[in-house]
Structure formats: structure tokens, C-alpha cells
Amino acid sequence: MSSGRRVMVAVNGFVFQRDGAFVADGGFLFWLENTKLSMEMLEHEDNPYIASLDYHGDKAMMGKTLVGLAFPKDWDFLDIDAWIDGDLALPVCVGVQVLRSETTDVCCPRWDSACKPPSGQAFATVKFTPDGKMAYAVTQGESRRFEGEGFDGAQGWGRWADESAFSISGHEDVLGNAWNQSGLIDTDIDYIADVAVASASSSAAACASACSCIYMGTINHWTGYWEEVIGGEPIWHPDAEAKVGSCDSIWRSCDGKTWLRIWHKALEGMPMEPYWM
């Protein structure tokens, strides 16, 4: 075997002592050099379960690493088991965390969490571009488990609007820190609440476009219907219809053709509700 072969390996599983005593469960990350394993590299992050791994750099292990998580960072096997049984739901409108490291030191690697994770609920699959200047992420959600109306528990899992989408990073800020969903098609939009234009120049000619970027706020609410009440406030009757999430969004387009989802949360109330204006 030639020397200098290095492979980064990620595994999910359990750790037991020789006497069978349980130690830990989660995701574990190693460098494999020929037949020698490095020290475990995610211990200081409490070993979250891993969905994907990508590395960009040389064989001297001085490159950049992305680790896409499979579930919320603090979930352990009992949480995952409860989710499989339908007793615990994945969070919505918070994204799926991606860890990044600029220098993967096998002794003391430093991991940073994304300040704005890619939208979705689970299983973040990450990939660097060949030049390492950008990265992509694809996520999944509750709808991946939906198996039809006749399947026991399917209605509780949901089948649409689970925020699973395609996101990019590296176009702004540090690569891996901020992820923006690309494309309106991956998000349920009930109506557009507002549109604003950020002008590139205040001295543009009167008939010339001074538009630099367009910002659009969209609302995604639970399906259902309003019941009018004589002398009182209308009552909303939700009809989930296996809908998973209801996340509102702010989008940005600087070319008038493509959109990035730069913010998403669940707003309270009825912002600019068109049905009651």
C-alpha cells in the first residue's frame, strides 16, 4: 500500500465500553490515513447525527470541511426513535444546521455553526463547487415519510410544505455561515404581502431604472376558512390537510430573474391579509 492515503470518514452509531456499558451515540468523524484512524473530531460538538460530509483541500488536511446534519443538533437516538414512531415532530422554520471548519486539525478542530442554516427540516446534503468558492445544500422534511392516505400515521407526518429545498452559500459572508434558498418553487406562497426596491443610485434619469435589488415579502398560512360572526370577530378554522409548515419569507432578486430566500420565519397575526382588506 502506498503511503499518504487519507480519507475523511463519517459514521453514525453507538459507542460501548468493552464491558457493554453504553457511552454515547451520534455522528463521529475521523481522518483515515492508510490504516490508522485519527482522534474523533466532533466530540466537542456533542456528536450530532451526520447526513453528509464534504471536504475541499489537499491531502495534508489543511482544507475546508462541511458537515450537514441529519436532525436537530441536540437530538439523540431516543429523539430519532420518537420521531420514527410519530411521537415527536421535526421543527419547522429554523432550517437544518451545517457545521464548517476552515482548518481540520485532528487534534483540536474548530467547528462553527451556520448563523443562517439552509431551509428544510432534516438531512442536509452539502457539496463544495470544484473551486471551493461556493457550496450547495439540499434538505428534506416530513413529507419524505408520507405513504398515502391509507398508511397508519401518515396524516400526522404531513406530505407538503415541509421546507425541503436547494440552498447556496459563499455568495455573501463566509462560506458555510449563511445559506440562502434559491428558487421560489420550493416554498408554498399564499400571497405577496409587500414589494420594495433598493435603488442603486438617486441620480438616475427620470425614465431610467435605478433598481439595484427587489425585495418581496410572501405569506404562507395554514389552509382553512374564515367563519363570519355577526357582531364579533371572524373565526379561523384551520384545515391542515397534511401540511407540515407555515413559514413566511423575504426574497431578494438583483437581476429580476432569480430569487434568493434571505429570511424565513412564521409571522404572527394576519399581515396584509388580502381576504379581509
Side-chain angles (χ1 to χ4, degrees):
M1 177 182 291
S2 63
S3 62
R5 293 184 177 181
R6 292 184 175 92
V7 178
M8 188 175 284
V9 180
V11 294
N12 294 320
F14 298 84
V15 177
F16 294 91
Q17 294 180 353
R18 290 186 177 182
D19 61 2
F22 173 79
V23 177
D25 71 284
F28 304 91
L29 185 64
F30 305 91
W31 271 107
L32 175 62
E33 182 176 1
N34 293 327
T35 59
K36 181 181 178 181
L37 276 177
S38 71
M39 298 174 60
E40 204 286 311
M41 299 164 60
L42 283 178
E43 179 181 3
H44 295 296
E45 299 299 317
D46 294 326
N47 298 104
Y49 278 84
I50 300 169
S52 67
L53 164 70
D54 200 22
Y55 171 78
H56 187 276
D58 56 29
K59 68 177 184 179
M61 303 180 291
M62 297 303 293
K64 300 177 290 187
T65 306
L66 292 175
V67 175
L69 301 193
F71 298 99
K73 190 177 179 181
D74 59 348
W75 274 28
D76 59 16
F77 174 77
L78 294 178
D79 296 311
I80 298 171
D81 189 52
W83 172 68
I84 293 174
D85 291 339
D87 297 325
L88 184 63
L90 291 167
V92 295
C93 303
V94 296
V96 189
Q97 191 55 257
V98 174
L99 303 178
R100 71 184 188 280
S101 177
E102 295 295 325
T103 56
T104 313
D105 186 339
V106 296
C107 169
C108 308
R110 173 181 171 177
W111 297 98
D112 293 301
S113 299
C115 69
K116 183 166 58 173
S119 56
Q121 291 187 286
F123 304 107
T125 301
V126 294
K127 182 68 176 178
F128 283 107
T129 56
D131 60 9
K133 295 180 180 180
M134 297 276 291
Y136 307 129
V138 178
T139 60
Q140 300 181 34
E142 294 280 5
S143 65
R144 73 185 301 272
R145 302 198 304 167
F146 187 83
E147 299 189 29
E149 298 293 339
F151 187 76
D152 184 32
Q155 287 292 342
W157 292 339
R159 64 172 179 260
W160 64 289
D162 65 3
E163 293 291 299
S164 55
F166 178 87
S167 298
I168 63 174
S169 183
H171 57 297
E172 58 186 22
D173 197 50
V174 178
L175 189 154
N177 190 38
W179 298 81
N180 287 327
Q181 177 183 321
S182 175
L184 298 170
I185 193 171
D186 287 325
T187 297
D188 180 50
I189 296 174
D190 289 294
Y191 58 89
I192 297 173
D194 200 6
V195 175
V197 175
S199 176
S201 173
S202 60
S203 60
C207 295
S209 173
C211 173
S212 175
C213 293
I214 304 171
Y215 293 85
M216 178 171 63
T218 62
I219 302 300
N220 170 18
H221 57 59
W222 291 105
T223 56
Y225 65 93
W226 290 98
E227 177 188 356
E228 294 190 43
V229 178
I230 299 176
E233 294 292 327
I235 300 174
W236 173 254
H237 295 276
D239 181 12
E241 294 182 352
K243 186 175 183 179
V244 175
S246 183
C247 309
D248 307 306
S249 311
I250 295 177
W251 306 83
R252 181 183 67 208
S253 176
C254 295
D255 60 7
K257 299 177 182 179
T258 59
W259 293 88
L260 292 178
R261 192 186 195 193
I262 61 174
W263 181 91
H264 70 284
K265 296 289 181 183
L267 294 173
E268 299 294 330
M270 296 181 293
M272 298 187 69
E273 170 65 72
Y275 309 111
W276 294 95
M277 292 181 66

